[in-house]
Amino acid sequence: MAQYDVIIIGAGPGGYVSAIRCAQLGLKTAIVEGRETLGGTCLNVGCIPSKALLHATHLLHEAEHNFASMGLKGKAPSVDWDQMKTYKEEVIGQNTGGVEFLMKKNKIDWLKGWASIPAAGQVKVGDETHEAKNIVIASGSVPSALPGVEVDNAKGIVVDSTGALELPKIPKKMVVIGAGVIGLELGSVYARLGTEVTVVEYMDAVCPGMDADVQRSFKRILEKQGLSFIMGAAVKGVEASKTKAKVSYEPKKGGDAQTLEADVVLVATGRKPYSEGLGLDALGVKMTERGQIATDGHWATSVPGIYAIGDVIQGPMLAHKAEDEGMAVAEVIAGKHGHVNYGVIPGVVYTTPEVATVGATEDALKAEGRKIKVGKFMFMGNARAKAVHQAEGGFVKLIADKETDRILGAAIIGPGAGDLIHEICVAMEFGASAEDIALTCHAHPTYSEAVREAALACGDGAIHS
Ligand code: NAI
């Protein structure tokens, strides 16, 4: 029986990053993964494949809508869907192979199979039981079920995000249930491929919890790109035949139930923590009311020697949040001081334009009664954004404390938002003021000038608005 300092359960971004940090800190480490490849949901059926499809379809959209005006004449390319899926598979393969290489390089054993924890200090994989001084559960999340809706990815009519990456053909009509990140990213992919996409959302705004200005602008931009929205409507059921599905929904405010027909229905109504089969009940591991593993400030569960990180515990279900926790818990186990600043975790939606946020929203701060300054700069005043047809409707909003000028949050919708947000993240980590960004020279012509302009707008005023 092998003996380890740490066994990590789950090789998604939380688990594999944690394993690498454990190994770097001199701990004898193994990782358990039951999938054929490493990388978890993110690399196999989540972030990475969806970004490959978003990239390919963005180029198609550019060719169809913007090439001619830039003097690039000729027919837009036609879509070879099978080849596009092959490209996506190649991207997945490169990344999962990369993680396998990193495991070998760091001398981390991959225990292939599904783990259970018969007792603290033991991890069972297949018929073998391994000993570990510490166990880190990084088992992630799975799509949550919607009552009255049966997902069958193999049939390809009513699918979740995994099935939506593998549809046998491009549907003519698609209904997306849920205007969250998954619904809008994958809805965008199919809208660009020519599918008539209708998004049904229970709330009155897209991406619940996001900055209200961004929500409005984002929805308008997506509508221009061809997506339709039915807001304030709760989906009550989906009836599927061999080739089609009928979605029934009820307006939140009351009124008659309605139906919509589609070739494919994508259920994107959230994900839930996944810890089935680990034996946590028998071990007495405390859970939260929402089915998450309860942890303390050091990612320790209620059972000594067992830790948990990522989607399976509280907090946003984001790969980078899991990675940060993975590194931090490794440091805790090694006797160091692992820390995650939950106030500075960016969120990004990889549509075109991208949407990115960090810190507190304007509405939340106002509701708390905080005195704030809001600097907003439209990308229409940014020369570079105009040059790439991505200025319309986009902006940077920076929020700072009225008295101290300390940055409290930001929301960006526009080109490169997912990268631009990190300037603000770093500033927040350093406790910077809006003036610190305003006084920093930003290269021209870059999108990042819009961040500086928003910071200037928190002071004496932006220059180009
Ligand atoms: P979500 O929680 O972001 O959005 C689900 C939406 O479905 C909500 O707006 C909700 O109001 C709506 N909804 C729920 N039940 C409904 C019903 N019966 N009828 C109509 N609407 C209904 O969940 P999503 O998009 O599935 O994403 C799951 C998780 O994965 C999230 O935590 C997300 O942050 C993460 N994720 C992050 C990505 C990124 O960072 N780019 C990409 C993909 C997923």
Side-chain angles (χ1 to χ4, degrees), residues 46-47 50-51 54 141-144 146-147 149 161 176-186 199-208 230 232-237 248-250 267-272 311 315-320 346-351 355:
C47 322
S50 62
K51 259 82 269 175
L54 279 159
S141 61
V142 289
S144 50
L146 187 59
V149 183
S161 53
V176 176
I177 311 175
V181 190
I182 292 181
L184 299 184
E185 286 186 354
L186 291 174
V199 183
V200 186
E201 166 59 48
Y202 179 74
M203 305 299 278
D204 298 316
V206 301
C207 294
I230 298 173
V235 169
K236 294 292 181 188
S248 52
Y249 65 91
E250 284 173 13
V267 184
T269 51
R271 298 178 62 85
K272 60 174 186 185
D311 285 8
M317 289 184 169
L318 296 170
H320 43 281
V348 180
V349 191
Y350 298 88
T351 43
V355 175

Side-chain angles (χ1 to χ4, degrees), residues 7-11 30-34 109-115 123 125:
I7 294 183
I8 290 160
I9 300 174
I31 194 159
V32 190
E33 176 54 61
D109 291 342
W110 174 6
L111 309 174
K112 293 187 187 180
W114 301 101
V123 175
V125 185

Side-chain angles (χ1 to χ4, degrees), residues 131-446:
E131 296 224 318
K133 289 185 198 134
N134 302 279
I135 297 167
V136 178
I137 303 171
S139 48
S141 61
V142 289
S144 50
L146 187 59
V149 183
E150 199 182 314
V151 167
D152 188 337
N153 287 331
K155 281 193 189 143
I157 307 287
V158 184
V159 297
D160 58 23
S161 53
T162 302
L165 297 167
E166 271 305 313
L167 293 180
K169 59 179 194 213
I170 299 167
K172 282 206 173 69
K173 273 191 187 184
M174 175 185 259
V175 169
V176 176
I177 311 175
V181 190
I182 292 181
L184 299 184
E185 286 186 354
L186 291 174
S188 286
V189 164
Y190 284 99
R192 293 169 191 169
L193 290 169
T195 303
E196 198 183 296
V197 176
T198 305
V199 183
V200 186
E201 166 59 48
Y202 179 74
M203 305 299 278
D204 298 316
V206 301
C207 294
M210 204 180 253
D211 175 272
D213 274 347
V214 169
Q215 288 176 327
R216 279 188 290 272
S217 192
F218 193 20
K219 180 163 168 275
R220 264 200 303 270
I221 292 170
L222 292 172
E223 280 168 336
K224 270 200 168 171
Q225 292 175 5
L227 284 90
S228 310
F229 289 88
I230 298 173
M231 306 302 290
V235 169
K236 294 292 181 188
V238 177
E239 241 175 72
S241 71
K242 265 194 184 149
T243 53
K244 282 208 181 317
K246 214 189 259 177
V247 178
S248 52
Y249 65 91
E250 284 173 13
K252 204 168 57 175
K253 288 185 193 139
D256 293 342
Q258 315 270 332
T259 54
L260 281 170
E261 265 208 353
D263 308 303
V264 172
V265 175
L266 164 60
V267 184
T269 51
R271 298 178 62 85
K272 60 174 186 185
Y274 179 72
S275 57
E276 265 162 48
L278 291 176
L280 302 187
D281 240 14
L283 281 167
V285 172
K286 249 207 195 141
M287 307 296 283
T288 69
E289 279 169 8
R290 305 177 63 187
Q292 301 146 328
I293 298 175
T295 51
D296 67 8
H298 293 104
W299 304 279
T301 69
S302 57
V303 176
I306 303 181
Y307 299 82
I309 58 162
D311 285 8
V312 80
I313 68 167
Q314 67 271 27
M317 289 184 169
L318 296 170
H320 43 281
K321 176 256 192 190
E323 287 182 36
D324 279 26
E325 289 175 341
M327 285 190 275
V329 77
E331 279 155 20
V332 168
I333 290 170
K336 293 171 172 271
H337 298 283
H339 174 72
V340 174
N341 180 0
Y342 288 100
V344 187
I345 293 183
V348 180
V349 191
Y350 298 88
T351 43
T352 304
E354 288 181 350
V355 175
T357 56
V358 66
T361 63
E362 184 181 353
D363 284 348
L365 290 166
K366 282 185 176 159
E368 276 174 29
R370 285 286 288 269
K371 300 256 180 298
I372 54 170
K373 297 187 275 190
V374 178
K376 191 171 168 186
F377 184 78
M378 304 300 293
F379 273 103
M380 280 311 269
N382 179 276
R384 181 73 181 278
K386 279 193 283 208
V388 300
H389 297 287
Q390 279 196 55
E392 222 180 305
F395 59 85
V396 178
K397 183 192 271 191
L398 195 68
I399 304 159
D401 185 278
K402 190 157 193 172
E403 270 157 33
T404 64
D405 198 33
R406 189 181 175 134
I407 300 167
L408 302 173
I412 307 177
I413 176 164
D419 290 298
L420 294 182
I421 199 73
H422 296 95
E423 170 177 2
I424 300 162
C425 295
V426 173
M428 286 175 76
E429 284 287 356
F430 278 81
S433 63
E435 192 182 32
D436 288 325
I437 291 187
L439 290 176
T440 304
C441 183
H442 285 62
H444 176 76
T446 59

